[in-house]
Amino acid sequence: MPFPSSPRARSGPRRRSLLAAAPAAFALAGCTAGSGDGTGVGDGTTAAERTARARAARDSEELAARYDAVITARPALAQRLRPLREETVRHARAFGGGRGASPSASPASPSASAATASPSPGPEVPGSDEDALAALATAERELADRRAKALLGVPGELARLLASVAAAGAGHVYLLTEGKA
């Protein structure tokens, strides 16, 4: 004999509603470092948090340098890649890095090349457009995976920021492999 369904009406949101709203919550959280200058110095953050934030900023800056290298070597991809590169620079800023880089600067501009210049040679760019896009997608995927793992070891706001930026990185992977940016 089957159990009759409960006669009382359910109150509150249903599980499907919550699951459907989760991506929107990440989008609303945005890529902000919260109040302050984003450095974490003097605002009650721990050394581990500052280290995680600095690493995330450095990773985003390195990824922006990869975008710069591909845009320089493959000008036909510039229009498609520039918005993703700009978002990556904004991510670096949200973590407290990238203060000298302009998200709207092109890699050919003096301000962008000074901001992304490093003593080591730039990342190598594969020989074809498809391979260059695949290499960027791989870099984005690896970074998003690292950030998803790292967010488990950091508190509150930084965990939310890492989750948001990891989700954005996953979106970049899609745009690089399947969609059009």
Side-chain angles (χ1 to χ4, degrees):
M1 173 183 211
F3 292 103
S5 61
S6 175
R8 66 182 173 97
R10 292 182 139 178
S11 63
R14 299 197 188 277
R15 187 178 320 160
R16 287 183 187 159
S17 301
L18 292 174
L19 291 174
F26 279 124
L28 288 175
C31 295
T32 63
S35 61
D37 63 0
T39 61
V41 176
D43 62 2
T45 59
T46 65
E49 289 175 73
R50 287 189 297 274
T51 300
R53 196 177 275 280
R55 166 136 191 196
R58 188 176 55 250
D59 287 345
S60 288
E61 290 166 349
E62 290 171 3
L63 186 58
R66 283 181 171 268
Y67 276 103
D68 288 342
V70 173
I71 290 169
T72 300
R74 303 261 166 235
L77 295 175
Q79 185 175 3
R80 181 176 181 183
L81 297 179
R82 198 164 281 119
L84 301 178
R85 181 225 179 253
E86 290 171 1
E87 191 167 280
T88 301
V89 170
R90 285 191 298 272
H91 294 160
R93 286 184 176 167
F95 288 116
R99 298 291 180 204
S102 167
S104 61
S106 69
S109 73
S111 65
S113 59
T116 58
S118 64
S120 61
E124 288 189 30
V125 178
S128 70
D129 288 357
E130 294 80 19
D131 290 342
L133 291 173
L136 281 173
T138 298
E140 286 274 13
R141 184 178 300 113
E142 289 170 358
L143 185 54
D145 290 346
R146 267 199 328 264
R147 286 179 170 158
K149 289 177 188 171
L151 70 89
L152 298 174
V154 295
E157 185 63 30
L158 182 55
R160 286 186 288 276
L161 181 58
L162 281 169
S164 179
V165 175
H172 289 186
V173 171
Y174 172 78
L175 292 171
L176 290 166
T177 58
E178 303 291 330
K180 300 284 186 203

